[in-house]
Each structure stands twice: as structure tokens, then as C-alpha cells.
Amino acid sequence: MDGLIRKAPLFVCSVATEIGFRFEGVGTEYWAKLSEALGLPITMAQRAQIGDAFAVLAAKYKISRPSESAFSSHFSIISWPIANALLPIDLVGPIGRLMASAPVAALPGPGRTANFASLRAWASAAEGARLADWLRFEGPSERALASLLTENSTGIVPVASYERLRIAVATSVEAFFAVRTGRQRTRTAKTPAPAEQSAGRLTLARDAAGLKLFAAWNPLPPGLFDEARTAARSAAWRPRLWGAGAFLHSDTALGAGPFLLMHAVVPAADDPAYPDAAAVFGAGGDIAAALAARNIDWTATLLFDVDDDRRQGEQRFGPFPSDAKIAWVGTRVDGLAIERLRPLGTVCGYRMFEANLRDNDERAILAAAGLLSKDARSSIARHPTDAIAAPQTTVRPGRPFLLFKPGPPLSAEPLRALTAGERVAAISGPAGHPGARCEIALPSESAPIELSLFERDSAFEALIEQRLHIRVESPIALRDLGLSAELEIDGRLIVRSFARIAELPATINEGSPLLQALYSDSARSKLLEAGSGVLRFAIGRLVKTEVQLERPQGSVDWSGDMPELIGALLASELVSASTPSPHRFAPANAITLPECGATAYGLRLADGRIADPIKLLASSSFNLGDLAAHFANDLGSRLMRENGRGVGDIARARIAWSRALCTSLQAIAAKSRIVRQFEEPLVYDLCGRDWCSAEEADRSKLSDPQQALYLVALERGLAALPEQATYAHIQGFAAAFATHARELDPDWPLDSHIPVDGMMDEALNRGFTEAVKALQTVGQLLEVDPEDCDFGRPADEWESAAAEAIRRIRRSELAQLIAPSAGARQLRDRYYANVGIAEMAEDLAAWTRRFALPRGQFSPEIAASALQLWLSPAACDNADAAVRILANDPFVARATRYAAIRMGTTLGGSIS
């Protein structure tokens, strides 16, 4: 150790600073970690020598000196590495809250430095001395804050350092959302400027499947994008460019592209790319204007510069230069064709041709059409970083660019550089040149794809209980991606599964084949037996995430005669609640097996919380009356705490019962029935009596439009069941019809409320045959001929039935009880099929920011907790924060409940 300090002090101090980055304690804990990292014992004298080595390095290099504070005076040696750690782990949460709540003008941003006096004052008042002390090191603190707020878009810190900061933030749910809120605040600190009116650019690709045409536009300004994203997610906006092709997720549609175009006829000059933008964002607003500016110059002839492999072409806006070798030319299908050129195919209303410009005849054809020029148009050559990362014709401040004419002979202007906001005007014509504008670099994504796991901290329980949710997002319109999942236990690969994602963004939930292998009984039993494992998800070699699975350590040990808190010396008392009043926990003297019904025992802490898990005991035999809960005397309270009858008390009790430890099958059955009974009093207290009555009358309706259409068809005689079929068989016939209806008419009801003529009759025929064959494999309906079906009714009858089915699934009676009416219509008119908790939570959070008062606005994580309270209470980790908002604003409570009903209702069941 002495030799290291003498010969390699920089190495020793670097290791000490690494321990400072992971700092979690003081005194012997810190030195024990440093000794373990070096593999050498450290004496008291050597500790002082390390402190002296830091002081020597501070005189030679620009490292941070400890501030004059109580911490640095008591722990003078430790304060050196803590001062030089870019972002200590114990400050991740406080720094996230600083970004989300501190005065936005004091945070570093484009064109301004941090106001540390204001930040330290806020930290002292809101967070304490630890954060305020870290903010005294202004140099590294500003680099850390600025890199997180701008996603290190300008390289403020090295890539490796930023990756560590990003991972530290991503592993903390609170910090992850707080930092994202901070980024949005800094982007919207000033009024967003309207988007520039500029046409997009086309790209033509050719592969074995044929020709594909893509469009790309300049990105929206960050402030405008954040505002548009909130409005789009609140309305669940899913546009189609020029009304054709795949439905785009709102986040993707607001991005820059590229977007695959699928229209069959060339749009008119005044046809908007986003036809419904004005209805969603408001006519005349900045967002609607920016999206209206996204258009393509659909000229009679499209020209493309072709790459060497002749696989892709970039649109050009002037005649081909005389030295070009290969050219792609497109003419309108309804216009004149360019004869004697090799046809490539037809795409988006254009016929595409390829010209070999080394052939004199083909050169003459292009020259006659004015598509070939001896006067070469100038091109722009940008700095390599701008050419890769910046939008077309955009340069960054201070970076050089060049306007030149390709030779021979080569003709170029002097190198030029612009300041922010400056521009070079474009000159049209063969002898002109493209324009250039200078913009400050916008925050960029660290990777083109982001893969996140919902409930990362409780992934062990989520996998065991089959409620994993994976979210895959990208600012680029990516499609057909492969996602793999691996489960490793004790160094052995237990499961490896693979699935393809049709398009991004996407939510992978329990219905995906990717998770079915993970949910197999053998995999879950091995994980339960081992108690730990590793879960990995990957998209090729681009994005990987690894989650450590650990059996949760319960805070209560039930192995003895009396429960004990684990790892805590908090004051607690033994309490119990029985089935007649499962929400009222009263002091208990001992744990006894109930003679009838079920009883839950737990430890109540001094603040009123019940420590997890409680233990549920049930009698060996009981009838349903023994498990009937009675809340009649405790309904109507909107207080969080009211001697056990508050809405917060009932929500806590529901979650506690759903997580109860059961030691018998009787206890498991009792838990399932009792947890379901908590729903009605929560709905009554949070949503009101009128809502509760309307929901009870609306309970039997479906959420799936195709299945709802099948029931309407049965009622109206458009469909029929075999005479031998019973009511229990309806589900199988409805599911088979729904599958074929989606295949035959995928646009209903997303894009058109009227089914395509004849498609629903064909879906009935195919579904009837499929359902009968499936039932016959299990010995039912053996006397029915599967092919004996010939359904067919007029189109107007199907139109009327479709309108009724849509009315039913929208549950308009419930939506009318939500205010404001515009927000209720947005919730009513969206579709909830294949929507996961994570995506719906973001949409609901955006909805509250647009339509709710400040007291009723959700963050995405709290919105997720509110949805889980209804859909899966065992997964609800932040019930108090969610219920407090639901109790403050009954219309937000109704909107959340409405979304949960639409998500969770299935044929013949309820969301419970």
C-alpha cells in the first residue's frame, strides 16, 4: 500500500473516488470498501497519506476540493473522493427532485449557466445539507446536471461517464421520471417557436419485395414536441399518413421519420399528411401549423440519386449532373411515361424507371425531358458530425461547411461557418445551390431504441404472478424487430424465447409469446425454488437490459409463534381483521385459527401502515356467507384516514389482503373472494353513488369490438348458433369470429365505422367452422357439420349492427359522467385493445395534464399505481399517492376507473 501511494497516487485516488461514486456510508464502511477494492489493508497512517495525495493532485490538476462544511470537517479524508465523484449514488434521488422542482431559471440550459446560489438555497430548504454541499462543487455539479438535462447531446462529459449517470438514474424509478420532468421543464422554459415551413424529403428503397417509398421531415422543436406529445397521448392519437398505411403511434408520428408511405394515388398539393391534426391539436395552433407544414412536393417527376449498390435513392431537387452514372426517375401513373427506360415498378402513385447515364441514348432521353444538365448544381458538404446527426441542410454553430460544384473541374467556395439562427438562402435552378440554416444541437437519444421493464424493482414477483410488462420505444418509425428473452438460474440457461415486434413503440404484456415460455410452470417453479435468477432482454446487439431477480424479503417473519419485523426495531402491534370487516384491523392478543370464514393477522406500525405480508388463516370448511364482507356502515368517506373507514384505509387494506401469505388452499380461495369485494366500496367512495349505479347497470358489456359485434349479430339474427349449442359455447364462437374479422377487415373499427361489404359474413362462416371443429376435438357438438354454414346479410344491416357494437364497447353512459365533456369524449372514442399498463399510464397522465386541475394531475408512475389498484392490487406500490389524487378529484377517479374497465373487461367477466 505504501508503494502504491508513493509510485501511483493518481491510481489510488481514482479507486478512492470510485468508492466515492458508490458512497453509501461513512467511517469504517468507506475504508472497508476501499480496502476490499484494492485487496490490501489500509492503516490509519495510510488513510492520512491518501488524503495528502489528494491535496497534492489538487495543486497539479483541476480536481475538486472539499467545501468548508460540517461533513468535510468531520470526515476530512473521505470528503476528497466524495467531492470528486461526478454523481454519488446516494444523491440520485435528491438530484432528480432538484431537476423536477427547483426554479427552472436556475438550472443549466442552452445559452445559460446554472445559478448555484439559487440551487443551494432550494436544496437547503427542500433536501438538506448533503445536496447543498454537493452543489458547492460547481464545476462537476454543472457538468452532471447539464449532461442529464440535455442527454449529453453536446458531449459535456465523456460517453462512459454519461452512461454511468444514465444507468444510475434509470435504476431509480423516482429519479427516472423526475429527470425526465426536468428535461421537459428546461425545454419549455421559453415559449416554443413555431416549426419552420419546409417540405420533406423522399427516399426510395428497392429489395426483393419491391419498391418502398419513405418520407422524412425536420424534427419539431423540443418544447413544441413535448406539448404535442402530451396532447396526442391524452387523445390516444394514431394517425395514418395521407390516410393510408399502418397506424402510427403518436410518439412516432410526431418524430422526424422516416415513414413508410402506402398511399396508392398521389396526394393533391393541399392534402395534409396528418388529416386529423387540427381536430386533435386545435386549428390555428402552433402544433397543428407545424404538422400542416409537413408535406411533400408531389411534382410530376421525382428524381433520386442512387447509391453504388443500386438499393436506395435519395431525392434530389434539381437536374442530374453531367457526371452522374445511374439515375432513378419517377413519373405519375396518370401522367406521361418516359419511354425506353428500364421500369422498376410502381409505388405510391408513381412509375419508377432506372436510367444508365453512361448510355448516350438514355442520356439524350433525360436531357430532352430537362432532367439532365451540363450546368452542375452546387451541393453542400457539411462537417461529418452534422452530416450524420443533424437534419438535412442543417449545420451547427461554428462547424464549417462547403458549397461546391462536382467536377471535373471541382469548383468550391471558401469554407464557411454560421452562428445560431443564421442561414444561407437557397437558390433554385441548375446553377443554384441548396440552403443551409444554423441551429443549436437538440437533445438526442442515447440509443435509437429504449427498452424498459415495468416493475423492475419487483420483477421477481411480477414474473411469478405473470404480470411482466416490457415497453420498447424509439423516436424512429421502426418495424419488424426481433426481441429475445432469457432466464438464467444458478448459472444455467433455463428459458430462451424470441418474438417479433410489428412496429414501435410497443408494449409486451402477458399475451405475448415472448413471455409464455417464462410463465411456464417449470420455469416459475425453478425460480421459486432457487429464490434468485437473472432476466435478460435484448434487441439484436443494439439494446440489452439485465435484471437481477431476487425473492423479496418480507418485512415480517411468520416462522415463529408470533410475527417479527425483519431488520427493524420499529414499534408495532399485532392486529387482525375478519371477513365481515376486512378493512378494519383491530388489536389482537394471539393468533388463532377461525372457526368459520377467514381472519388476517398483521403488524401495524406507528404510522398506521400494515407491514407486508399479513398472514391469512381460513377455516377448513365454510360457505360463501362466511366470506361476505360488509362495508355498508363505512361508505361515503373521501378522507384518506378516518379510523379505518377512510378511502386510503380501504385501499391499503385491499392491497394488504391481495399480498397476504396463505398456507392453505382454503386461505387462497378466501383471499381471492375477499379482495374482489373491496372494489365496490372503493368505487363508491372515489367515483360517487351515481357512477356506482351506472357501472352496475353497465357491467355485462364487452370491450372487444369484434366480440361485441358477434353478440349484436346473434341478437339481430345476422348470425346463428347450432341448435345443440348452449350459452357456454358463445365465447368460443365469438372468439373465432373476432379472429377472422380482424384478419378480413383490419380497418374496422379503427379507421372506418362501417365494415367492408361481405367481410363480416365471411368471418362468420370461417369462425363457425373453426369453433365447431375446436369443440368437436373435446367431444362436443359431434353431430354438427362444421361446413354447414352460409351466412349472408345486406350491408346496411351490418352497418347498423356495427354502430350498436361500437356504442356498447364505448360505455357512453359512464363517459357522460366524466368532466370535462371533451376529455370524456377522448377517453370514450379511443380503443383499449392490446394496451399495457405502462402505455395506458402515460396516456392517462397526459390526459390529466390537459383536462384536470393541478390537484388531479398524475405522473406516469402514479397513474400506473392508480390503474393497478383496480387491475392488480398486489402490484400497486404507491397506493397513498394515487388514492390521494383520486380522492381530491372525482372526475380523475372516474376517468381512471373508466380506463381500467375498458382495459380489463373480457367476455363474461369483470376487471376483478
Side-chain angles (χ1 to χ4, degrees), residues 761-780:
D761 291 318
E762 180 62 22
L764 281 177
N765 292 326
R766 295 184 184 182
F768 182 94
T769 300
E770 182 179 295
V772 171
K773 289 181 178 179
L775 290 170
Q776 288 180 347
T777 59
V778 295
Q780 301 181 33

Side-chain angles (χ1 to χ4, degrees), residues 341-357:
L341 295 183
R342 186 167 72 88
L344 297 177
T346 303
V347 60
C348 296
Y350 282 89
R351 287 179 289 187
M352 294 295 171
F353 302 89
E354 180 177 271
N356 181 1
L357 299 186

Side-chain angles (χ1 to χ4, degrees), residues 4-15:
L4 277 178
I5 296 174
R6 184 178 64 257
K7 297 180 180 179
L10 191 60
F11 168 75
V12 174
C13 292
S14 297
V15 178

